[in-house]
Amino acid sequence: MKFIIIDNKDNVAVALEDIQAGETLALKDGGNITVTEPIVRGHKFALRFIPKDSPVIKYGNPIGIAKENINPGQWVHTHNVRTGLSENAAYQYNHKVFDPPVVSPRVFQGFRRPDGRAAIRNEIWIIPTVGCVNNIAAALVRENQNLVKGSIDGLYTFPHPFGCSQIGDDHAQTRKLLAALVRHPNAGGVLVLGLGCENLTMDQFQEELGTWDDQRVKFLICQQEEDELTAGRSLLKELAFPRANW
C-alpha cells in the first residue's frame, strides 16, 4: 500500500512511500488515479479536482484553501495551499462523536486473580527486602523446583543490592519498587524474604504494601528462624498448594 486515505470525505491522500510521476494507483472504490508529479513519502496528492479557493480536506476536515486549481494526482503542499485562518475571524470547534464499532469480546488464556486483574503467567516469586538474603533466596529457588508443576509456571527470585544502609528518597524508592513486584498479577504467590537487621524492616515493607492476600503473600525473617531454608520451603508449599483460583 503506497498511500492512505484517512477519511472517506478527504480529497487528498497521503503517500506512505515515495511515488514516482506517472504511477497509476488503484483506489478502494475500484477507480484509478495517476500521479502527475513525484510525491515524497508523507506528502499529499489530490484525489480529485480541487477548484481554486475551495477547501483541501484531510481527516474529514478542511486543512487549508487551494490557491489555484489542483488537478487529480497533483502534489498538494504549501505552494498551492494557503491557510484558511484569520486573526480577526471567530472560530468554533464542533467535535465529532463516533459510535464505537461493535466487536466480539476478546479473550486470552490467562489467570484471573481474586482482585479482578488478569495475568499471562502463574509464577511463585521470592522478593528479598535486602541484598543480604539474595543467596538464601537463590537457594530456596534452586531447592524447591519440584513445586513447579501443574498450573505453576515457575519459581523465581529477584536479587538486588538494596535495602540496607539506605535513607531518604533512596530508601523510599526501594520500598516502592519491591512492593510493586509483590502486587504484580503474574505472581500467583509471593514470599517476601527479609534478614532482620536491615534498614528496610518487614514492618516498613508491610506498611508500604498496605493490604495483601494472606494466601497469596507470605513473609519470612531469616534471623527469626532456626533453619530459614526449611521455613522457607514450608511457606512456598503453602503458596503453591492449594490455589483455588488456579
Side-chain angles (χ1 to χ4, degrees), residues 108-128:
F108 67 94
Q109 291 184 333
F111 302 88
R112 187 178 296 279
R113 300 306 182 196
D115 62 5
R117 294 186 299 167
I120 60 172
R121 291 190 291 272
N122 195 57
E123 300 169 343
I124 299 175
W125 291 355
I126 300 176
I127 305 297

Side-chain angles (χ1 to χ4, degrees), residues 53-56 62-67 81-91:
D53 295 327
S54 63
V56 174
I63 62 168
I65 306 297
K67 294 180 182 178
V81 178
R82 61 178 173 83
T83 181
L85 302 177
S86 169
E87 294 182 0
N88 300 319
Y91 298 99

Side-chain angles (χ1 to χ4, degrees), residues 13-36:
V14 179
L16 298 178
E17 56 185 82
D18 293 349
I19 302 174
Q20 301 302 316
E23 284 194 54
T24 299
L25 307 172
L27 302 176
K28 286 185 177 180
D29 61 6
N32 295 309
I33 186 168
T34 300
V35 175
T36 59

